[in-house]
Amino acid sequence: MNLLTSQDLIDAGYEPGLQFKDLLAKIAEYEARGIADAKYTLKLLKRDVAPPPVKYVMREKSAPLAEAIEAKTKEERTNVELVRKKMHELLKTPVIARGAIMPDACPIGGKEPAVIPVGGAIAVENAIIPSAHSADICCSMFATFYEERSSVPKEIDALMTSTRFGPEHRHLDDLIHDPVLDENVWLNRFLTGLRDRAGTQIADQGDGNHFAFLGEVDVDAAMLAMLRLTGHGDLADRFVLPPEGTRRYRVLVTHHGSRSLGAHVYRRGQIAAEKHVARKAQHIPAAAAWLDASSDSGRDYWHALQYVARWTKANHRAIHRRFLERIGSHSVAEVGNEHNFVWQRGDTYYHGKGATPAWKDEQGRPQLGLIPLNMAEPILLVLGGDREDFLSFAPHGAGRNLSRTALRKQFPDESSRRTAIERGTAGLDVRWFCGRPDLSETPVAYKNAAQVKEQIRHFGLAEIVAEIRPLGCIMAGASDRSWRDREEELTPKQKRQIEHRAERRRVHQDLRDETEGR
């Protein structure tokens, strides 16, 4: 039996590869000489073959941070200081080259070190940091332009039956199939066993700040000229203008992520990343743990992320398709973008936690993006400014200066909350899918929209092509979960297993009853 195994060498810091042959040969030589102490053997290996690679540690100095944000009030200054502190902690990670914060930046993570804030972006060399895209992988925007078919209330009614909000998933007798579920991806270590879970949440948007927004936009010759000038003639050609030169379109915009599928992929990725840095580094915060992109686990995680992106887009499209069928309309044009994700450009992996990609695509065109501000403000259709100083990102929304808890303290009683909600949503058809309004998702919860727009312009992050004016909106709202909701957490596979076990118990009971009767 060998004194040291391959796993012992890995645990000691050696990386699997051709060198292992030399290391194991030396170990056999030491054993033949009667050397039986493991610690002494490792010491000899360092001298006679090579020491294990030096482990990564957090840098003493942070990588460069660019700030596309201005703070004017006391609340804003406090917010930016907290964001800056979190980013400087994260930017000490040895694989991160640079970072940036957007106008909507706000801190999360409490006292946990190195947690990327909302509105944060980082450039990472040949590595993927799961915590930097967060559990809501591929949280994204998707817009469909269509011709009006009915009144706003009737279209919102149709939308209410086309989507679903709230915890858990769709009822098991109301599942929506999509071809994305049939892709041959489920043997990937980060996806295996998740197909049933993914299947229960098609046409499902979850809760929190996710929404289905109904708006309108006036498309004119100037907008189409801008699209053609920047290489988006294919999109411009989808709009047909009347002789008077302007046509008003309705627009459905959905905002959601990858639901339970993405959360489970993230958890698996985070566990793998923490195991990886435990071997190759020391004293790395969990929020900064990474996977080498060129490793087997890194490649598998990258492929899993790409599938999650396809699933999320299919989810958006399922909702939009169901809505258009219900109102008897069709899609004129579509636009969408991720803002919680990882994008590869060469050997650099750009991570955005609430940051809209705003660089030029492979054809040299500025990317199109959607930036919501709050339910009472227009959603901005933008062309990316490709400001390399800020890693070529733009904000993903308006962001918050106060946490949800701090906001509730400003409105301590039901009457003040109701008044704030009514003022913030006046003139709009706002529905709360789970029944009760959620103050923390109304306009009062978010930064000043005009100020965010001004900072987008000031820092050159994006150019606004059009503004989609609000007509109505659906959000989850407040929901109270009880133990009864637990049944809805089960996937179809889990339900079948429970039913099979119950059937076996019934059969066994019948056999016992028959035996006792005889």
Side-chain angles (χ1 to χ4, degrees):
M1 181 177 177
N2 290 337
L3 178 64
L4 292 174
T5 65
S6 295
Q7 187 58 52
D8 292 327
L9 294 175
I10 292 172
D11 292 341
Y14 288 99
E15 296 183 12
L18 295 176
Q19 189 186 43
F20 263 40
K21 182 179 179 180
D22 296 334
L23 292 169
L24 293 171
K26 272 295 179 184
I27 291 170
E29 182 184 316
Y30 298 150
E31 289 178 338
R33 288 162 48 188
I35 298 171
D37 183 80
K39 289 185 178 179
Y40 184 55
T41 298
L42 287 172
K43 184 176 180 180
L44 291 176
L45 288 175
K46 292 178 184 178
R47 184 194 70 186
D48 298 340
V49 182
V54 177
K55 287 196 170 186
Y56 290 103
V57 294
M58 296 293 276
R59 292 186 292 241
E60 295 211 0
K61 186 178 180 181
S62 301
L65 174 65
E67 300 182 5
I69 187 170
E70 291 181 337
K72 296 180 180 179
T73 67
K74 180 181 177 181
E75 281 181 352
E76 291 170 354
R77 287 190 291 271
T78 299
N79 177 69
V80 171
E81 280 301 320
L82 290 171
V83 166
R84 190 178 288 134
K85 179 178 182 293
K86 289 291 187 182
M87 285 297 289
H88 282 309
E89 291 172 353
L90 179 61
L91 290 172
K92 291 180 180 179
T93 307
V95 295
I96 299 179
R98 290 189 296 146
I101 53 176
M102 300 294 110
D104 56 341
C106 49
I108 57 173
K111 295 182 179 180
E112 185 182 351
V115 176
I116 190 169
V118 173
I122 52 175
V124 185
E125 299 303 328
N126 198 38
I128 302 171
I129 300 177
S131 282
H133 60 59
S134 83
D136 197 13
I137 299 173
C138 204
C139 189
S140 50
M141 304 287 296
F142 197 81
T144 296
F145 297 77
Y146 67 95
E147 294 184 359
E148 173 186 339
R149 282 294 183 267
S150 187
S151 66
V152 171
K154 287 184 177 179
E155 290 195 357
I156 295 284
D157 287 343
L159 187 53
M160 285 283 284
T161 65
S162 304
T163 186
R164 178 195 173 276
F165 286 88
E168 318 320 337
H169 52 71
R170 300 188 72 86
H171 288 293
L172 299 179
D173 60 356
D174 188 32
L175 300 185
I176 311 301
H177 182 75
D178 190 277
V180 73
L181 298 169
D182 301 327
E183 290 192 30
N184 185 24
V185 298
W186 303 107
L187 295 180
N188 181 301
R189 72 182 83 180
F190 297 102
L191 293 168
T192 186
L194 297 179
R195 187 185 185 282
D196 282 347
R197 191 175 294 276
T200 64
Q201 292 182 329
I202 293 288
D204 189 306
Q205 294 185 252
D207 49 20
N209 66 354
H210 298 163
F211 61 75
F213 173 104
L214 195 66
E216 63 182 11
V217 64
D218 293 329
V219 176
D220 59 19
M223 171 184 165
L224 300 187
M226 175 63 74
L227 290 173
R228 291 191 175 95
L229 184 65
T230 54
H232 293 284
D234 54 340
L235 177 62
D237 291 344
R238 292 181 174 273
F239 298 101
V240 178
L241 299 186
E244 56 269 25
T246 300
R247 170 164 286 174
R248 181 166 296 174
Y249 288 92
R250 286 267 173 92
V251 191
L252 170 61
V253 185
T254 47
H255 171 228
H256 61 74
S258 49
R259 305 290 285 113
S260 182
L261 169 67
H264 279 75
V265 170
Y266 160 75
R267 288 192 199 105
R268 295 176 183 184
Q270 182 64 26
I271 290 169
E274 290 182 32
K275 288 181 178 178
H276 176 73
V277 297
R279 293 194 304 269
K280 297 191 65 173
Q282 54 189 1
H283 309 306
I284 303 293
W290 70 85
L291 289 165
D292 283 344
S294 56
S295 68
D296 287 344
S297 57
R299 283 190 289 268
D300 285 348
Y301 191 63
W302 175 253
H303 291 314
L305 290 178
Q306 305 316 301
Y307 176 74
V308 170
R310 295 194 297 276
W311 183 93
T312 306
K313 183 171 284 188
N315 195 7
H316 281 292
R317 283 187 164 138
I319 295 166
H320 290 230
R321 181 174 62 252
R322 286 159 57 84
F323 169 71
L324 293 174
E325 288 171 354
R326 281 162 169 75
I327 66 170
S329 191
H330 68 278
S331 171
V332 173
E334 297 177 342
V335 176
N337 64 271
E338 300 91 357
H339 51 228
N340 273 19
F341 204 56
V342 184
W343 299 265
Q344 182 181 6
R345 302 172 69 192
D347 290 330
T348 302
Y349 289 78
Y350 289 80
H351 297 55
K353 172 66 175 82
T356 300
W359 50 81
K360 292 180 180 176
D361 64 17
E362 294 177 351
Q363 300 175 49
R365 306 178 303 176
Q367 295 207 60
L368 286 159
L370 295 159
I371 302 177
L373 298 169
N374 65 59
M375 63 171 62
E377 292 285 340
I379 291 177
L380 309 180
L381 176 63
V382 302
L383 287 163
D386 198 21
R387 283 297 307 275
E388 202 271 339
D389 292 353
F390 303 111
L391 301 183
S392 297
F393 280 97
H396 86 306
R400 306 171 187 265
N401 282 319
L402 295 175
S403 67
R404 288 177 169 85
T405 301
L407 177 70
R408 282 193 290 269
K409 289 179 180 178
Q410 290 192 354
F411 299 88
D413 57 82
E414 187 63 31
S415 176
S416 63
R417 292 177 190 175
R418 185 169 55 253
T419 299
I421 292 169
E422 290 172 354
R423 287 177 178 172
T425 61
L428 301 174
D429 189 342
V430 176
R431 314 277 181 95
W432 304 96
F433 198 92
C434 296
R436 292 194 294 113
D438 181 356
L439 177 71
S440 69
E441 292 304 335
T442 60
V444 72
Y446 288 91
K447 295 183 182 182
N448 181 278
Q451 187 173 319
V452 173
K453 285 173 61 178
E454 171 55 26
Q455 291 187 30
I456 292 172
R457 185 203 62 77
H458 175 72
F459 292 104
L461 304 177
E463 183 170 356
I464 299 172
V465 177
E467 298 191 5
I468 303 169
R469 299 181 299 276
L471 298 172
C473 184
I474 304 172
M475 298 191 77
S479 64
D480 296 317
R481 289 185 55 190
S482 72
W483 62 269
R484 295 181 183 84
D485 293 324
R486 191 172 183 274
E487 182 181 3
E488 287 302 307
E489 296 178 8
L490 302 176
T491 66
K493 183 177 180 180
Q494 291 169 325
K495 296 276 283 185
R496 289 195 297 272
Q497 290 171 338
I498 291 172
E499 290 169 359
H500 291 163
R501 286 195 291 269
E503 179 62 26
R504 286 198 298 271
R505 286 195 296 270
R506 284 193 294 271
V507 170
H508 292 160
Q509 185 62 48
D510 290 344
L511 289 173
R512 282 195 297 270
D513 292 343
E514 290 177 8
T515 301
E516 291 171 1
R518 285 196 299 267

